[in-house]
Amino acid sequence: MTNPSTEQGEAQVRASRRSRQAARIAEAASAGVKVLLVKIFLLAIVDAISVYALFVLLLRSDWVVFGAVLLVTLIVNWIYFSKQKLPAKYLTPGLIFLLIFQIFVVGYSGYIAFTNYGTGHNSTKQDAVNALIVSSQQRVPDSPTYELTVVEQLGNYSFLVTDPKGRVSIGSTDAPLRRVTDATLNDADKAVALPGYTSLKFTDIVANQQKIAALSVPLSSDPNDGTLRTPDGSKAYLYLSDLVYDEAAGTMTNTSTNTVYVDNGKTGSFVAADGAELLPGWKVEVGLANFAKAFGSESIRGPLISVTLWTFTFAFLSVLTTFGLGLFLAIVFNDMRMRGRNVYRVILILPYAFPAFLSALVWAGMLNPQFGFVNQVLFGGADIPWLTNEWLAKFSIIFVNLWLGFPYMFLVCTGALQSIPDEIQEAATVDGARPFQVFRLIKLPLLLVSVAPLLISSFAFNFNNFNLIYMLTNGGPRDVTAGVNVGATDILISMVYKVAFVGANRDYGLASAFSIIIFLLVALVSVISFKQTKALEELN
């Protein structure tokens, strides 16, 4: 016979257990709802950005990128709204960033190497035609006067014009004039306002006079019809160009000189029979022309070869000097008989603790010929051109890079030496080997097994050590005979930077071709070096 109190106790336990289970289920459900809401919120942000990008791409008729963005957006939503595909949910963000910031950047840079993209060739053919016609326009002496009201929408200015026949149109630099029927007219039948636009007052026109005077509003989609411009913001006049574009024939004719410029389909510009070229042009694919220019033009081939040789020399000497000094100091301070080793080690790694670009700027000031510390203090006011003489500048770069790089090699070699068992050295000493023989035949081969991959990476780093060159000498002194902007201390990467971003004539296509050459050289050196590293491992 069961005890009533026992049954009551068991019932209470079961009720308490059911209550706890219900609480856990409710808590899990609440957490699941919160996670779902966060997921929907984050996906909503991603989808909103994607929809905006799709609209922009649609307006630009960029169908390839439009399809790629749409496909990626659909895949992301499919993955994250699915109850499965857990690995894909973790991998997708990383893959997207990899595609955008690595693969796309590398692929696009490679594509640019096969185009004429650069100053004067950085847009489409239609943009180039419009720019040429607008740049050569002059006011028609007897042109009709258009009554004008300057209006603004989202920070962009437009012309609200009333032609001599009373017709009202609106247009901007990017959009030709189009008829409107809902404009507000004043007593003189001049359009003064338009829904969705803000009419500028006289004070606003005065404050933005230069921007408004620079506006050129096309009369129609045909650039030969001319544009409207205004000198005062109240009246507009017709401007026509000396250049007439024939789209069917692909020619641009100068009506003043009767010179015909033809699109030859190769240079991305209009060229006359005597070789004269109209700029700006437009971007076109040129095949291997940039590589042919790099190796075929003497004014570029010569500097390219000298810069390549100096790049290898700089990278090799940088690794050799920093490794040599770092290894020497590591051996010295690895000796247990030396006192205060830890203090010296801390002092030696101080150059490594400061930012490299800041240290390079400090050294640039110290090596200044007129007021630098080195000339004024160490050499008693001597005028030594450390950074302006070709060979002294190269020596200065090697020296400063030694000061910056030896602490890293010191730390690496210290760790590698301490990992070599003492028993090996003791056994060699017992066999009669001298200290130098122990180092050359035992320690150095074992050390190189560990350090060789780091030496390869250090070589690759110095091969593209842009910061030091740019901050210390800016690649100078300048080689005035070169066909590109290059100096005596420029390495390949700094030359690429100058060709692409410095000066009035920027040649992105040629710079991208140089980048591909750099990639091939670094890849070749890395393959050879890693094969030697493997040989060291087999020796070990």
Side-chain angles (χ1 to χ4, degrees), residues 30 59-60 78 156 171 206 223 270 363 378 436 438 444 451 460 517:
S30 177
L59 294 175
R60 295 177 56 183
W78 174 60
N156 298 318
V206 172
F270 294 102
W363 273 104
L378 299 183
F436 181 74
V438 173
L444 185 59
V451 176
I517 295 173

Side-chain angles (χ1 to χ4, degrees), residues 240-313:
L240 290 176
S241 174
D242 292 337
L243 295 174
V244 177
Y245 175 56
D246 188 343
E247 184 176 2
T251 60
M252 186 77 74
T253 304
N254 190 321
T255 57
S256 299
T257 62
N258 293 324
T259 304
V260 179
Y261 298 85
V262 182
D263 173 16
N264 57 17
K266 298 179 180 179
T267 60
S269 60
F270 294 102
V271 183
D274 59 356
E277 185 180 18
L278 288 179
L279 290 178
W282 56 93
K283 182 172 69 70
V284 294
E285 285 75 21
V286 295
L288 298 175
N290 287 317
F291 296 92
K293 183 179 179 181
F295 295 107
S297 176
E298 177 60 32
S299 62
I300 298 178
R301 182 176 67 248
L304 176 61
I305 293 174
S306 62
V307 168
T308 302
L309 293 175
W310 162 240
T311 303
F312 275 100
T313 303

Side-chain angles (χ1 to χ4, degrees), residues 2 16 76 92 101 109 119 121 124 137-138 179 225 227 240 245 266 282 285 309 313 330 385 424 458 467 478 503:
T2 58
S16 177
V76 168
T92 299
F101 296 107
S109 298
T119 301
H121 299 276
T124 64
Q137 284 180 341
Q138 296 179 359
R179 293 283 299 277
D225 290 341
T227 63
L240 290 176
Y245 175 56
K266 298 179 180 179
W282 56 93
E285 285 75 21
L309 293 175
T313 303
I424 297 178
S458 178
N467 287 343
R478 170 73 189 274

Side-chain angles (χ1 to χ4, degrees), residues 114-125:
F114 300 93
T115 69
N116 66 340
Y117 188 41
T119 301
H121 299 276
N122 54 8
S123 188
T124 64
K125 184 176 181 179

Side-chain angles (χ1 to χ4, degrees), residues 102-174:
Q102 292 291 332
I103 297 177
F104 172 76
V105 172
V106 172
Y108 188 73
S109 298
Y111 161 74
I112 292 299
F114 300 93
T115 69
N116 66 340
Y117 188 41
T119 301
H121 299 276
N122 54 8
S123 188
T124 64
K125 184 176 181 179
Q126 186 60 45
D127 290 340
V129 169
N130 292 335
L132 287 170
I133 291 177
V134 169
S135 63
S136 61
Q137 284 180 341
Q138 296 179 359
R139 179 178 171 179
V140 179
D142 299 326
S143 66
T145 301
Y146 293 76
E147 297 295 333
L148 172 66
T149 299
V150 182
V151 294
E152 180 266 337
Q153 184 185 57
L154 300 176
N156 298 318
Y157 296 121
S158 299
F159 283 180
L160 181 62
V161 299
T162 307
D163 65 16
K165 296 182 179 181
R167 294 173 297 190
V168 179
S169 304
I170 189 170
S172 64
T173 302
D174 300 323

Side-chain angles (χ1 to χ4, degrees), residues 41 45 56 73 88 118 124 160 191 210 249 252 302 310 312 324 341 353 363 387 407 467 478 481 538:
F41 175 74
I45 295 177
V56 173
T73 303
T124 64
L160 181 62
Q210 291 184 348
M252 186 77 74
W310 162 240
F312 275 100
R341 294 184 304 152
W363 273 104
L387 304 179
N467 287 343
R478 170 73 189 274
T481 63
E538 292 175 353

